[in-house]
């Protein structure tokens, strides 16, 4: 009896089909819920406060630059450029790859851009693995830290506790031997990759930076909510934890472009413990649009700076 293996093209087709199915299903779920609860949504006490929008913009800047700083420190430690501006420039340009399904394009875009700086692709692969590990670990820590302060979660609360079990698993990745095994698995078919040593004080610093990024992300949701309705300070821990957890879930849904759909649904279900589900969906969509527009503006700003810098190199004459 012969077993027919699935080809790589078939695997990619299955991933695309799964991504399209989830995107359509999540869109229909969100639209149907808003439609069936339209009266409740219109009757909600909406109060617009534009000062909170400024705070949401400030929180977005902190979250964005935390992620940029985290990546810059990681790649610098592994042997990449020490120039913060250069690392930030490449991070922002490659971030467009997140809009495509799968993590391949994101990492491949980084590897291509760093190749121009004579940085081996192995360093970028290691750095990207460290980045996603600390993003997941810090997100789960944030969610677990504020767990006693949440209201009772209405949907699949037991599963949320199960997610915390993955924290010890992520801590295992911080072990050099486990990290080496995982990296060899991800880079199979390539030459032997030299593993760069990372000390625990570096790992602690990276973890702190990504923790700060998740807290700033929760601040975005809190201030956006305050810009359209009245809120209390008790809602802030929920914003911190729910944004972190929904971000972890969307990161795990790597086959979707930017985790779209999965993040909105998970965040909506979590927020429904505090506001009606239809309102929670609108807040989740507002959070998505705000971060997407804000990141696009920041990416465009970095792109214009890098483009002008590149053009200045071409027109500069050396004597």
């Amino acid at each position: 009896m012969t077993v027919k293996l699935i080809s790589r093209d078939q695997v990619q087709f299955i991933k695309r089909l799964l991504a399209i199915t989830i995107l359509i299903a999540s869109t229909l779920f969100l639209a149907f819920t808003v439609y069936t609860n339209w009266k409740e949504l219109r009757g909600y006490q909406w109060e617009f406060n534009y000062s909170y929008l400024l705070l949401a913009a400030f929180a977005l800047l902190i979250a964005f630059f935390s992620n940029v700083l985290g990546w810059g420190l990681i790649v610098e430690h592994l042997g990449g450029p020490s120039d913060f501006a250069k690392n930030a420039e490449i991070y922002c340009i490659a971030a467009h790859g997140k809009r495509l399904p799968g993590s391949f394009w994101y990492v491949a875009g980084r590897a291509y851009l760093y190749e121009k700086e004579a940085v081996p692709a192995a360093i970028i692969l290691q750095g990207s693995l460290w980045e996603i590990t600390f993003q997941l670990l810090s997100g789960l820590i944030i969610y677990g830290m504020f767990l006693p302060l949440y209201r009772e979660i209405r949907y699949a609360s037991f599963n949320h506790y199960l997610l915390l079990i993955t924290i010890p698993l992520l801590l295992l990745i911080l072990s050099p031997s486990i990290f080496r095994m995982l990296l060899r698995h991800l880079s199979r078919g390539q030459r032997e990759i030299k593993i760069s040593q990372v000390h625990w004080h570096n790992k602690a610093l990276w973890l702190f930076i990504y923790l700060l990024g998740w807290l700033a992300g929760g601040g975005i949701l809190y201030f956006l909510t305050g810009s359209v309705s009245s809120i209390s300070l008790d809602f802030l821990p929920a914003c911190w934890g729910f944004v972190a957890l929904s971000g972890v879930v969307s990161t795990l849904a790597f086959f979707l472009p930017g985790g779209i759909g999965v993040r909105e649904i998970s965040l909506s279900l979590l927020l429904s413990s505090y506001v009606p589900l239809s309102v929670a969906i609108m807040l989740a969509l507002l959070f998505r649009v705000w971060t997407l527009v804000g990141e696009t503006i920041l990416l465009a700003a970095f792109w214009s700076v890098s483009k002008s810098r590149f053009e200045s190199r071409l027109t500069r004459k050396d004597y």
Side-chain angles (χ1 to χ4, degrees):
M1 181 178 178
T2 59
V3 179
K4 186 177 181 180
L5 299 178
I6 300 177
S7 65
R8 180 173 297 181
D9 291 338
Q10 289 176 322
V11 172
Q12 292 298 326
F13 174 77
I14 293 173
K15 287 183 178 180
R16 293 192 189 100
L17 183 61
L18 180 60
I20 293 173
T21 302
I22 294 179
L23 284 172
I24 294 176
S26 59
T27 302
L28 291 176
F29 169 79
L30 295 173
F32 178 76
T33 304
V34 172
Y35 174 76
T36 55
N37 296 275
W38 183 249
K39 290 184 178 180
E40 184 182 47
L41 187 63
R42 290 188 60 184
Y44 192 75
Q45 295 181 351
W46 301 103
E47 300 176 3
F48 294 97
N49 189 329
Y50 294 101
S51 61
Y52 275 100
L53 288 179
L54 295 177
L55 294 174
F58 181 69
L60 177 62
L61 285 174
I62 296 177
F64 184 82
F65 282 102
S66 294
N67 290 323
V68 172
L69 177 61
W71 168 250
L73 291 177
I74 289 175
V75 74
E76 177 184 354
H77 180 80
L78 297 179
S82 58
D83 184 3
F84 174 81
K86 172 57 64 178
N87 289 323
E89 173 186 318
I90 293 177
Y91 177 93
C92 293
I93 295 175
H96 288 289
K98 290 183 177 181
R99 312 298 176 217
L100 300 174
S103 303
F104 169 79
W105 303 106
Y106 182 42
V107 178
R110 281 178 168 178
Y112 173 79
L113 293 171
Y114 275 106
E115 185 182 5
K116 305 297 182 181
E117 305 297 324
V119 179
I123 289 179
I124 306 307
L125 179 59
Q126 290 182 63
S128 298
L129 182 56
W130 280 125
E131 179 189 47
I132 192 172
T133 299
F134 282 103
Q135 285 179 340
L136 293 174
L137 179 59
S138 58
L140 289 172
I141 289 176
I142 289 294
Y143 177 73
M145 281 174 54
F146 300 103
L147 195 58
L149 302 179
Y150 307 146
R151 292 182 184 176
E152 183 179 357
I153 301 173
R154 296 178 180 177
Y155 298 92
S157 59
F158 180 69
N159 293 334
H160 299 151
Y161 288 94
L162 286 179
L163 279 173
L164 299 181
I165 300 177
T166 59
I167 292 180
L169 298 178
L170 290 170
L171 289 174
L172 287 177
I173 299 178
L174 302 185
S175 169
S177 58
I178 301 297
F179 183 83
R180 187 179 296 108
M181 291 174 55
L182 181 58
L183 186 62
R184 286 174 178 171
H185 174 73
L186 294 175
S187 60
R188 60 184 182 274
Q190 300 181 9
R191 293 183 301 174
E192 184 70 17
I193 293 181
K194 181 180 179 181
I195 308 297
S196 301
Q197 185 179 5
V198 179
H199 299 287
W200 281 100
H201 61 84
N202 296 107
K203 297 175 183 177
L205 176 60
W206 300 345
L207 179 62
F208 172 79
I209 292 173
Y210 285 111
L211 287 171
L212 179 62
W214 285 122
L215 291 175
I220 297 173
L221 178 61
Y222 180 78
F223 293 130
L224 284 178
T225 304
S227 68
V228 295
S229 65
S230 59
I231 53 173
S232 65
L233 199 58
D234 296 338
F235 187 55
L236 182 57
C239 291
W240 284 332
F242 295 169
V243 165
L245 183 60
S246 61
V248 168
V249 172
S250 67
T251 301
L252 295 176
F254 58 90
F255 49 85
L256 290 173
I260 188 170
V262 173
R263 183 165 199 175
E264 283 70 29
I265 289 181
S266 58
L267 184 57
S268 299
L269 296 179
L270 290 166
L271 289 175
S272 64
S273 301
Y274 289 80
V275 295
L277 181 58
S278 56
V279 176
I281 291 175
M282 298 306 296
L283 292 177
L285 292 176
L286 178 61
F287 177 79
R288 163 66 75 170
V289 172
W290 183 263
T291 53
L292 181 61
V293 172
E295 288 180 356
T296 301
I297 293 174
L298 291 170
L299 292 176
F302 271 97
W303 172 255
S304 62
V305 171
S306 62
K307 183 179 179 182
S308 61
R309 185 185 302 173
F310 177 73
E311 291 175 347
S312 65
R313 290 175 185 170
L314 294 178
T315 57
R316 186 178 58 196
K317 294 182 179 181
D318 298 326
Y319 296 94

